[in-house]
Amino acid sequence: SQTIHQWPATLVQPVGSPLSLECTVEGTSNPNLYWYRQAAGRGLQLLFYSVGIGQISSEVPQNLSASRPQDRQFILSSKKLLLSDSGFYLCAWSVQGWNIQYFGAGTRLSVL
Amino acid sequence: AQSVTQLDSHVSVSEGTPVLLRCNYSSSYSPSLFWYVQHPNKGLQLLLKYTSAATLVKGINGFEAEFKKSETSFHLTKPSAHMSDAAEYFCVVSSDTGRRALTFGSGTRLQVQP
């Protein structure tokens, strides 16, 4: 069966520090991969999605970037965090051509 | 373009009473619709999905939703609430465009009183 892993579960970072959140999927090949952010009391906002290695589409211009160095690995990064980057970050995957997405457990990021 | 409106940000019910969480959608394409549930500090779990088959969709944990095209609605219901149902619920629409991205509603927090 397929599983999705996200880490770390929680992270507290100072303003201006770098960020790296990692997501890996097991049990499937060539998945679509997604990064979402959930701000407090709000719905989910799609940040990036990827249909293959090295293929990244950005939905919202901002302080973050994403990379897909391997088929089942998706990384969310920032060179310098802002206070507004605080939130709950969720990684998701789907089978190519299907629209059902499966989510990881999320990372709670607090930028202080 | 597509959008989702969840009509209630908070719903409070008593244990054993029915649950109704309301959702209206807008989509330029034939939509696929989903309900996800999120317990505190957890990821999202798929409750049920509508993908143009039967309009009444049954999901996990006794939940079901009815797709009404004339009303552009996809309300989530459960006959009898359980304490474990307390969580945030998201109505989601997906277009049939290639990238298969999801558009989320703002969520409805369900409280279940003993």
Side-chain angles (χ1 to χ4, degrees):
Chain A
S1 65
Q2 301 87 3
T3 56
I4 179 169
H5 302 281
Q6 261 189 266
W7 66 93
T10 60
L11 189 60
V12 180
Q13 292 285 96
V15 170
S17 64
L19 173 73
S20 180
L21 302 182
E22 190 161 343
C23 171
T24 60
V25 181
E26 296 177 359
T28 187
S29 297
N30 198 27
N32 283 354
L33 295 171
Y34 306 85
W35 277 111
Y36 290 87
R37 177 169 60 200
Q38 184 179 29
R42 302 178 67 178
L44 274 72
Q45 179 185 42
L46 179 64
L47 302 176
F48 302 95
Y49 71 96
S50 171
V51 298
I53 295 175
Q55 301 178 60
I56 309 294
S57 296
S58 173
E59 290 294 301
V60 182
Q62 56 202 324
N63 186 41
L64 302 169
S65 62
S67 61
R68 185 171 177 173
Q70 299 180 46
D71 181 44
R72 290 169 288 177
Q73 183 185 28
F74 205 24
I75 297 172
L76 183 69
S77 304
S78 174
K79 292 181 179 179
K80 287 186 178 181
L81 283 168
L82 306 173
L83 287 173
S84 57
D85 292 323
S86 293
F88 193 50
Y89 289 82
L90 287 154
C91 182
W93 74 274
S94 69
V95 174
Q96 291 275 358
W98 291 92
N99 53 17
I100 298 173
Q101 295 182 16
Y102 302 94
F103 286 81
T107 296
R108 173 75 59 194
L109 173 64
S110 298
V111 183
L112 306 177
Chain B
Q2 57 195 35
S3 65
V4 174
T5 302
Q6 291 185 243
L7 301 168
D8 307 291
S9 59
H10 290 86
V11 170
S12 182
V13 301
S14 297
E15 190 174 21
T17 64
V19 175
L20 170 65
L21 305 183
R22 299 182 294 165
C23 172
N24 287 102
Y25 72 91
S26 172
S27 176
S28 303
Y29 303 89
S30 298
S32 293
L33 293 158
F34 310 87
W35 277 97
Y36 282 84
V37 61
Q38 184 182 31
H39 289 91
N41 292 310
K42 301 291 185 183
L44 276 71
Q45 180 184 18
L46 180 66
L47 270 181
L48 50 80
K49 60 184 185 291
Y50 166 77
T51 53
S52 76
T55 56
L56 182 62
V57 181
K58 293 188 184 299
I60 61 172
N61 301 335
F63 284 94
E64 61 182 37
E66 186 172 8
F67 173 71
K68 292 186 176 180
K69 186 175 181 179
S70 61
E71 300 176 9
T72 60
S73 69
F74 191 57
H75 302 334
L76 182 70
T77 60
K78 183 174 181 178
S80 177
H82 194 273
M83 295 297 291
S84 61
D85 295 328
E88 185 112 26
Y89 292 79
F90 292 96
C91 183
V92 182
V93 62
S94 171
S95 74
D96 285 335
T97 57
R99 67 184 179 88
R100 306 289 177 178
L102 302 180
T103 299
F104 283 76
S106 55
T108 297
R109 182 162 298 279
L110 176 65
Q111 289 182 308
V112 182
Q113 309 290 343

